[in-house]
Amino acid sequence: MGSLAFAILRRSFYLAVLPLAGLYVLVPLLFQTVPEFMQHAFFLNFVKVPFLDYTNLTYHGVAHLGRNFRLPEIGARVLCKGEEPVLGVWHVLPASLSRRLEAEIEAGTRKPLTDADYEALLDAESHGVVVYFHGNSFDRTNAHRVDLYNRLADLDFHVLAIDYRGYGDSTGFPSEDGLIEDAHFIYNYARARAPTKNIYVWGHSMGTGVSARFVAELSDLGIPPVGTVLESPFNNLHDVVTHHPLSRPYRWLGERFNRLIVDRWVDSGLVMHSDERIVKHKAPLLILHAADDHIIPVKLGKKLFEAADKAGVDVKYVEFEANLGLRHKFIHKAPHLADILKEFFQRCEAFTTSRKPTKRHEEVHIDA
């Protein structure tokens, strides 16, 4: 009986451990031999819900009037197998404007909005336009992202939310240079159709890496956004990869882990050194991070804040304590978030005037 139990335990051990051991060896091997695997492993754009209807914003929880549209990247320099990508985009109207238009449509004094109407309304009454860049995996329909769109619309902002190339219903496949070009296309779209409005950039998780480089490039061009919000950010690729939960089995390799994994990503064109790029930002910056973030440790967001502060960027760092349970993607539910954003947006507006406020470097911790 004892030998039978031992045999069962041994078999169970092999069944549990051998697949993990094989994966442990297979992942570095794939990094060395299959470049496409490296990109997929970082961007996770293959993680998606199939057969989604992107045209019905209400079905996905958007609380205000909005539209789904396609943005072709005509003249794109970073092509996908020789073709220009086409991005899937949502435009969500500000709450007060949405309510007024809904009432007019219901009363029969206005026809349902057309695509041309939405484009014209982008420059209509509002506090401005927020261009949102999401993190890796899934798409613009994710519930936590939709809740943020609603909250920004409640503050009377237009929201433009894209899916990068290869995500959602956007065509092509992702690369760092490609995502940056996607960001330029949607930003230029907003500038062309909302010339009188302030434009803000909001990035979450991987989207903070996109935003940090993108805004640095805009600053070099002399056309920075009025302000930038980085939610749950990281300081650089090396640190975010080595601190990610999935890298835990490889950390004991030390410098060999860098050569096997991180360096291979860099060689493929994936850099995302936000701490180097953020020093070029020419507009106020707000960094939001949760102390209990289990994907990107809060210390990486703090390092990014320190890099911006050292470079003289106007920056405010807000850390939400662990007792709030906001983790990596629920900062949109944070207490006082609306007040934090209102204060930040007002400060950004002040920077557009001739009497700019004194630059600040402020750190705030919120626990209730």
Side-chain angles (χ1 to χ4, degrees), residues 27-28 31 241 256-265:
V27 169
F31 265 74
V241 171
R256 283 175 293 177
F257 173 74
N258 291 335
R259 292 196 298 270
L260 286 170
I261 305 294
V262 181
D263 291 349
R264 293 293 293 159
W265 261 325

Side-chain angles (χ1 to χ4, degrees), residues 6-22:
F6 178 75
I8 293 173
L9 286 173
R10 184 174 60 182
R11 183 184 179 94
S12 300
F13 175 79
Y14 287 144
L15 288 174
V17 172
L18 285 179
L20 292 175

Side-chain angles (χ1 to χ4, degrees), residues 42 133-134 164 176 179-180 203-215 230-236 271-275 277 281 296 304:
F42 182 84
F133 300 112
H134 64 64
Y164 316 105
E176 181 174 332
L179 268 59
I180 298 303
H204 172 245
S205 192
M206 183 194 73
T208 67
V210 174
S211 300
R213 174 178 164 184
F214 167 58
V215 172
L230 300 181
E231 176 193 357
S232 308
F234 56 90
N235 54 329
N236 57 58
V271 181
M272 291 203 175
H273 284 169
S274 296
D275 48 3
R277 288 153 174 172
H281 285 208
I296 300 177
L304 189 62

Side-chain angles (χ1 to χ4, degrees), residues 38-342:
M38 291 189 296
Q39 299 292 327
H40 284 305
F42 182 84
F43 292 113
L44 297 179
N45 58 302
F46 60 90
V47 180
K48 60 177 67 178
V49 178
F51 311 118
L52 282 180
D53 178 8
Y54 294 91
T55 64
N56 188 343
L57 278 64
T58 302
Y59 172 80
H60 295 289
V62 175
H64 310 290
L65 287 178
R67 71 156 178 151
N68 175 74
F69 68 99
R70 310 283 287 164
L71 181 63
E73 295 193 10
I74 299 173
R77 291 173 295 177
V78 183
L79 303 178
C80 299
K81 294 184 178 179
E83 296 184 355
E84 297 168 342
V86 179
L87 304 182
V89 188
W90 278 358
H91 173 195
V92 181
L93 293 184
S96 62
L97 179 60
S98 177
R99 284 193 295 269
R100 178 171 66 79
L101 293 173
E102 283 183 286
E104 292 174 3
I105 294 170
E106 187 175 343
T109 59
R110 185 182 185 111
K111 293 181 179 180
L113 299 177
T114 65
D115 286 350
D117 291 331
Y118 274 103
E119 289 206 337
L121 288 168
L122 198 57
D123 204 36
E125 63 251 43
S126 71
H127 291 307
V129 181
V130 176
V131 182
Y132 178 78
F133 300 112
H134 64 64
N136 63 359
S137 76
F138 295 104
D139 53 37
R140 63 190 184 278
T141 69
N142 261 36
H144 71 277
R145 295 165 184 162
V146 172
D147 190 72
L148 178 62
Y149 312 156
N150 288 335
R151 292 172 190 264
L152 290 171
D154 287 340
L155 295 175
D156 266 347
F157 286 91
H158 291 271
V159 180
L160 291 174
I162 71 164
D163 273 320
Y164 316 105
R165 58 186 67 194
Y167 287 83
D169 58 343
S170 298
T171 65
F173 49 87
S175 65
E176 181 174 332
D177 289 343
L179 268 59
I180 298 303
E181 189 162 49
D182 298 344
H184 279 286
F185 267 89
I186 189 62
Y187 186 77
N188 290 339
Y189 172 90
R191 289 184 70 229
R193 288 156 183 80
T196 71
K197 295 300 177 185
N198 291 330
I199 301 177
Y200 302 86
V201 168
W202 187 305
H204 172 245
S205 192
M206 183 194 73
T208 67
V210 174
S211 300
R213 174 178 164 184
F214 167 58
V215 172
E217 292 182 1
L218 293 178
S219 298
D220 286 342
L221 294 170
I223 52 170
V226 175
T228 304
V229 181
L230 300 181
E231 176 193 357
S232 308
F234 56 90
N235 54 329
N236 57 58
L237 180 70
H238 172 271
D239 285 2
V240 75
V241 171
T242 55
H243 286 87
H244 195 280
L246 294 179
S247 72
R248 190 170 288 117
Y250 301 97
R251 290 176 192 167
W252 67 273
L253 291 169
E255 186 57 35
R256 283 175 293 177
F257 173 74
N258 291 335
R259 292 196 298 270
L260 286 170
I261 305 294
V262 181
D263 291 349
R264 293 293 293 159
W265 261 325
V266 173
D267 292 342
S268 73
L270 186 62
V271 181
M272 291 203 175
H273 284 169
S274 296
D275 48 3
E276 296 178 6
R277 288 153 174 172
I278 207 168
V279 301
K280 294 184 176 183
H281 285 208
K282 302 299 183 186
L285 172 65
L286 175 63
I287 296 177
L288 307 172
H289 217 132
D292 59 339
D293 192 323
H294 60 302
I295 301 298
I296 300 177
V298 69
K299 65 181 179 181
L300 302 190
K302 188 69 176 294
K303 286 183 176 181
L304 189 62
F305 163 64
E306 292 167 352
D309 183 26
K310 185 177 179 180
V313 177
D314 186 272
V315 57
K316 181 174 183 177
Y317 172 84
V318 180
E319 183 174 317
F320 299 94
E321 299 297 347
N323 65 292
L324 297 173
L326 301 176
R327 308 195 82 186
H328 183 61
K329 60 182 183 181
F330 298 113
I331 285 177
H332 59 92
K333 297 182 177 181
H336 316 299
L337 179 63
D339 293 333
I340 293 167
L341 294 178
K342 287 177 184 177

Side-chain angles (χ1 to χ4, degrees), residues 282-283 347-359:
K282 302 299 183 186
R347 183 172 181 83
C348 292
E349 290 177 6
F351 263 83
T352 65
T353 67
S354 57
R355 300 181 63 182
K356 295 181 180 180
T358 304
K359 285 189 176 182

